[in-house]
């Protein structure tokens, strides 16, 4: 019989490099299931609870907490330890009322930062494409995208110029960050506000 849904675990040594986990303990670690984020840029909620936030001692406790409805992602109860948590997602630990948003920081694509409860239902999105539908309506495809990847991940700056792309060169933006200005592919840059960030995206 064919295997469906992919592997629920992977070897720690081949987990994404930015994952903040001990790679020399157990041989395997949870893998992310298909969901709102790609496997390359997301964490399984089980790894978040055990290895990043340290609110659960092991995967058995993770499963118990999820089954009891004690954890939500963007306001929705999560029941599966492999559920992916990605950019701009908000994880709520219901018993303690603690809220964490996943943002890029210090060159790392995803790190949890503690946020205030007033930002619980706020989330930034980035329009990736626009598709026309029936009756002259348009459907905007959002991606929860600041610089989101690379050595400048998490840095906030001001967009000075948007450069038109070509067949071989993608569209790029010039972003000033303090005393330096960098040119970046537009797909790794995300707007977070006009003069200041609309929500908390850094520590």
């Amino acid at each position: 019989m064919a295997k469906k849904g992919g592997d629920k675990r992977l070897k720690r040594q081949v987990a994404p490099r930015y994952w903040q986990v001990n790679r020399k303990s157990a041989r395997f670690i949870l893998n992310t299931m298909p969901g709102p984020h790609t496997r390359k840029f997301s964490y399984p909620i089980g790894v978040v609870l055990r290895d990043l936030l340290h609110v659960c001692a092991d995967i058995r406790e993770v499963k118990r907490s999820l089954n009891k409805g004690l954890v939500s992602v963007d306001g929705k109860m999560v029941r599966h330890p492999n559920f992916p948590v990605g950019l701009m997602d908000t994880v709520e630990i219901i018993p303690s009322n603690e809220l964490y948003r996943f943002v890029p920081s210090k060159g790392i694509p995803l790190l949890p930062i503690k946020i205030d409860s007033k930002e619980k239902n706020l989330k930034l999105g980035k329009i990736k494409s626009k598709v026309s539908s029936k009756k002259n309506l348009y459907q905007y495809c959002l991606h929860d995208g600041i610089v989101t990847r690379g050595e400048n991940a998490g840095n906030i700056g001001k967009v000075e110029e948007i450069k038109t792309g070509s067949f071989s060169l993608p569209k790029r933006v010039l972003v000033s960050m303090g005393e330096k200005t960098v040119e970046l592919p537009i797909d790794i840059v995300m707007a977070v506000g006009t003069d200041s960030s609309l929500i908390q995206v850094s520590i």
Side-chain angles (χ1 to χ4, degrees), residues 103-106 111-114 200-203:
V103 297
S105 179
K106 302 175 183 177
L111 279 179
I113 62 169
K114 205 165 187 177
Q200 185 179 343
V201 292
S202 60
I203 300 172

Side-chain angles (χ1 to χ4, degrees), residues 129-149:
S129 62
K130 182 176 73 172
V131 180
S132 61
S133 59
K134 295 178 182 179
K135 299 181 181 179
N136 294 322
L137 297 176
Y138 289 95
Q139 174 180 324
Y140 291 92
C141 301
L142 294 175
H143 186 277
D144 299 326
I146 39 182
V147 178
T148 60
R149 299 196 298 274

Side-chain angles (χ1 to χ4, degrees), residues 125-195:
K126 180 177 180 179
I127 296 176
K128 298 291 287 185
S129 62
K130 182 176 73 172
V131 180
S132 61
S133 59
K134 295 178 182 179
K135 299 181 181 179
N136 294 322
L137 297 176
Y138 289 95
Q139 174 180 324
Y140 291 92
C141 301
L142 294 175
H143 186 277
D144 299 326
I146 39 182
V147 178
T148 60
R149 299 196 298 274
E151 64 181 20
N152 289 301
N155 288 348
I156 299 175
K158 182 179 179 181
V159 175
E160 302 290 350
E161 181 184 351
I162 299 177
K163 294 188 173 183
T164 305
S166 63
F167 179 76
S168 59
L169 189 67
K171 190 182 256 191
R172 304 177 76 80
V173 292
L174 283 178
V175 182
S176 60
M177 302 175 184
E179 296 181 353
K180 69 175 182 178
T181 299
V182 294
E183 185 174 289
L184 302 165
I186 201 167
D187 67 326
I188 68 169
V189 177
M190 182 179 183
V192 295
T194 305
D195 297 317

Side-chain angles (χ1 to χ4, degrees), residues 23-202:
R23 296 178 187 271
K24 295 184 178 180
S25 54
R27 184 180 180 187
F28 292 98
I29 195 168
L30 290 175
N31 200 357
T32 51
M33 63 191 292
H37 300 281
T38 64
R39 288 182 171 177
K40 190 176 180 181
F41 295 108
S42 63
Y43 272 108
I45 186 64
V47 173
V48 169
L49 298 175
R50 183 190 63 186
D51 300 291
L52 271 71
L53 304 182
H54 305 289
V55 296
C56 294
D58 51 36
I59 293 302
R60 184 175 295 179
E61 189 176 346
V62 166
K63 291 179 178 178
R64 278 201 304 266
S65 299
L66 296 178
N67 288 333
K68 289 180 180 179
L70 302 181
V71 180
S72 70
V73 177
D74 289 344
K76 296 180 180 178
M77 297 298 173
V78 175
R79 306 288 184 182
H80 203 293
N82 297 82
F83 183 85
V85 176
L87 193 59
M88 295 298 168
D89 281 353
T90 298
V91 175
E92 181 178 10
I93 312 300
I94 295 171
S96 61
N97 293 319
E98 292 181 328
L99 291 160
Y100 298 88
R101 176 177 291 128
F102 277 76
V103 297
S105 179
K106 302 175 183 177
I108 300 173
L110 287 176
L111 279 179
I113 62 169
K114 205 165 187 177
I115 61 171
D116 193 89
S117 59
K118 66 183 179 182
E119 293 195 359
K120 176 179 178 180
N121 298 316
L122 299 179
K123 186 173 184 178
L124 294 175
K126 180 177 180 179
I127 296 176
K128 298 291 287 185
S129 62
K130 182 176 73 172
V131 180
S132 61
S133 59
K134 295 178 182 179
K135 299 181 181 179
N136 294 322
L137 297 176
Y138 289 95
Q139 174 180 324
Y140 291 92
C141 301
L142 294 175
H143 186 277
D144 299 326
I146 39 182
V147 178
T148 60
R149 299 196 298 274
E151 64 181 20
N152 289 301
N155 288 348
I156 299 175
K158 182 179 179 181
V159 175
E160 302 290 350
E161 181 184 351
I162 299 177
K163 294 188 173 183
T164 305
S166 63
F167 179 76
S168 59
L169 189 67
K171 190 182 256 191
R172 304 177 76 80
V173 292
L174 283 178
V175 182
S176 60
M177 302 175 184
E179 296 181 353
K180 69 175 182 178
T181 299
V182 294
E183 185 174 289
L184 302 165
I186 201 167
D187 67 326
I188 68 169
V189 177
M190 182 179 183
V192 295
T194 305
D195 297 317
S196 60
S197 177
L198 295 173
I199 63 173
Q200 185 179 343
V201 292
S202 60

Side-chain angles (χ1 to χ4, degrees), residues 3-22:
K3 203 187 239 185
K4 296 181 180 179
D7 292 326
K8 293 183 179 179
R9 62 179 189 168
L10 77 162
K11 291 182 179 179
R12 284 176 178 261
Q13 296 298 328
V14 297
R17 292 181 63 186
Y18 68 86
W19 279 22
Q20 306 291 295
V21 297
N22 184 345

